[in-house]
Amino acid sequence: MSRKKTSFTPWITALVFASLAPFVVYPIFAMELMCFALFACAFNLLLGFGGLLSFGHAAFFGSAAYLCGHAIKNWGLSPELGILFATCGAALLGLAIGSIAIRRQGIYFAMVTLALAQIVFFLCLQMPFTGGEDGLQGIPKGHLFGLIDLSATVSVGLQQLPLALYFFVLAITFGGYWLIWRTVHSPFGMVLKAIKENEPRALSLGYQVNRYKLTTFVLSAALAGLAGATKALVVGLASLSDVSWHMSGEVVLMTLLGGMGTLLGPVVGAVTVGTLHHELASFGSWVTVTIGMVFVVCVMAFRRGIVGEIAYQLKRDL
Amino acid sequence: MDIPLQAILSQALLGLNNGAFYALLSLGLAVIFGMLNVVNFAHGTFYMLGAFVALLGYNQLGWILGDESIYMSFWAALIVGPIVVGLLGVLIEKTMLSRLYKVDHLYGLLLTFGLALIFEGVLTNYFNVAGEPYNAKPEILEGAVNLGFMVFPKYRLFSIVLSLTVCFAIWYLIEKTKFGSHLRAGTENPDVTRAFGIDVPSLRTLTYFLGVALAGLAGVVAAPIYSVSPRMGSDLIIIVFAVVVIGGMGSIMGAILTGIALGLLEGLVKVFYPPLANTVIFIAMALVLLWRPSGLFGKEA
């Protein structure tokens, strides 16, 4: 297979912009957006490239948030180890849920993941360490590698910016995104594409289709967990809304709105939906109504999504 | 553990009551899925809307018409609720769902998910999330009957009997009548069915009406038992999905029997180990899928 020469320009541009963001946008909000973007990208790896619609991805996002919070708060783990622990937990959960769910396809797959994620939701509601309805509050930020204080802020002008935490989150997000990008452009990604296009053919070519699907599922679950754990660290809170099926729906919307099957789409979708939430927060349930309407419009008239539409017009992959 | 037999029996009957609702809802879901290939995520919402039609018809109708003495009785709601909800379904099918039959089935699920959010959000803005009681229970169904081994509320008994009657009537309609055979033919092979002079698009609209009206009916029947709130459908829908997955999608009888059985199971678990009651249905689903991936009554995929 011929390897296209990779251009680093978009990566560097994105890094520069992301590094400047905390000076312009409220940093906590920017960090939350990054976590959601990573979550949506992880989800899109499964849906956009594997053709599998999981309607239970909040289970990985949310349970990792709880695991990370618990590990840091009650076991005194350092933040990077807490996140690593939570990511591994999400991967294991992904293995368990994935190995049941991939036995069914299409619509059934979606419903099975949804229902299995509901078990996780009830576990999070009832287990002793999760704080029930209140969630797990006051997760400390701690010292990165025991050295760098993540709760420290730097005063810039009139603002106090948590730059250490910000760049830690930025590194995680870019690392996760790079891993997804690498996966999609690897031989593994090619096989995945082939399975999505025509599963029986891939099977008859001798590929172990289910093993590919399961691997993708676990990878996607782990990355969703990474996003959830990081978010818990950023906001210092893991709550039931992180594991609820509304969150699973939200990540579907982010991907759909941005453009499923594009690498950049979920990022754009996550930023759009996140900003929508942020701006409409004072309107109560009208947020839900708006989100629902965006959903309907996307499905009815805008199935390629924002980035997908642009890519289609430019006739190239984005 | 020493649990009196009476507690077990009463929980079993309460479970049977829930099971009857599960059956009614999963039946509607199975009909819509089997005939239209749409996973109707808004099914719980239509159930909730059915309950709201009953509630508003009782509390607000007189106020709207300017004469406080006018109200919609429970018996009227049993007819009006499903029709209103069903007509809303027709509107949605005609304007939106019918355009999605050609594309991936996932879009039907996503569309109805969006619609569920809209309805739930709008109603949450106008009504208390905690819910309002529906006090129009007819006098004849007040009180309890002595079943010999226990005393059981009349209304619950009524709702069990009504739900199961409707379920089996629908099963008969689809499996045993000419209308049903047209319906099934329309799913199996729309083109050939059309060639026989059967109007497939209208059949689809009618199917959606029927499935959604069943959800509306369940909502009206549930209104006197549970408090009527905008959220009442959204948690139920996932349980109903699990019921349908366990039963095997597309199987009408599977949906009915599984619904009843799981309601009973849930009721019994509530007696023996309460914390597990919320999850037992999903655990059952995971186990069934490991053993039979296409569900208990489903055909092998």
Side-chain angles (χ1 to χ4, degrees), chain A residues 272-288:
Chain A
T272 315
V273 173
T275 313
L276 215 58
H277 267 290
H278 192 69
E279 297 297 320
L280 293 176
S282 54
F283 292 95
S285 316
W286 292 114
V287 184
T288 321

Side-chain angles (χ1 to χ4, degrees), chain A residues 55 103-104 107 119 126 245, chain B residues 39 109 113 238 275 282 290 293:
Chain A
F55 225 106
R103 298 158 69 99
R104 306 304 320 265
I107 284 293
I119 298 183
Q126 282 167 350
W245 61 265
Chain B
V39 173
L109 186 153
F113 177 74
I238 309 201
F282 302 108
L290 283 173

Side-chain angles (χ1 to χ4, degrees), chain B residues 64 197 203 246 251:
Chain B
I64 294 168
L203 213 54
I246 298 173
S251 163

Side-chain angles (χ1 to χ4, degrees), chain A residues 62-231:
Chain A
S63 62
Y66 277 112
L67 288 177
C68 173
H70 183 68
I72 293 178
K73 193 179 169 187
N74 299 336
W75 298 344
L77 250 58
S78 60
E80 75 283 357
L81 286 179
I83 288 177
L84 186 67
F85 168 72
T87 308
C88 294
L92 276 179
L93 188 62
L95 186 64
I97 291 185
S99 41
I100 298 177
I102 57 160
R103 298 158 69 99
R104 306 304 320 265
Q105 288 166 354
I107 284 293
Y108 303 90
F109 179 84
M111 291 170 64
V112 172
T113 46
L114 176 62
L116 290 174
Q118 209 58 12
I119 298 183
V120 177
F121 177 84
F122 285 121
L123 283 178
C124 288
L125 181 63
Q126 282 167 350
M127 293 241 265
F129 75 90
T130 55
E133 302 273 351
D134 300 327
L136 202 61
Q137 298 177 358
I139 301 164
K141 304 221 177 348
H143 290 68
L144 185 61
F145 307 118
L147 295 170
I148 307 163
D149 184 4
L150 287 182
S151 56
T153 54
V154 179
S155 54
V156 178
L158 293 170
Q159 284 176 300
Q160 293 288 322
L161 301 179
L163 288 184
L165 182 64
Y166 183 86
F167 283 101
F168 178 52
V169 174
L170 184 69
I172 289 178
T173 312
F174 264 77
Y177 189 80
W178 180 81
L179 188 63
I180 292 170
W181 184 86
R182 201 67 204 82
T183 308
V184 169
H185 289 91
S186 69
F188 178 87
M190 296 297 155
V191 177
L192 207 57
K193 225 174 195 170
I195 294 172
K196 189 193 170 198
E197 294 294 325
N198 192 335
E199 187 169 328
R201 184 180 290 169
L203 201 61
S204 70
L205 283 172
Y207 289 111
Q208 302 227 338
V209 169
N210 277 351
R211 194 173 292 174
Y212 276 88
K213 282 187 183 172
L214 188 58
T215 311
T216 316
F217 196 93
V218 173
L219 184 62
S220 172
L223 286 166
L226 177 66
T230 312
K231 193 206 150 222

Side-chain angles (χ1 to χ4, degrees), chain B residues 23 33 45 114 182 201 241 263 270 283 297:
Chain B
F33 181 80
T45 309
H182 286 181
F241 276 165
K270 215 169 259 170
I283 295 172
F297 298 83

Side-chain angles (χ1 to χ4, degrees), chain B residues 234-258:
Chain B
S234 59
D235 293 325
L236 196 59
I237 181 68
I238 309 201
I239 295 181
V240 176
F241 276 165
V243 170
V244 173
V245 169
I246 298 173
M249 288 211 73
S251 163
I252 302 290
M253 191 49 98
I256 300 174
L257 295 180
T258 317

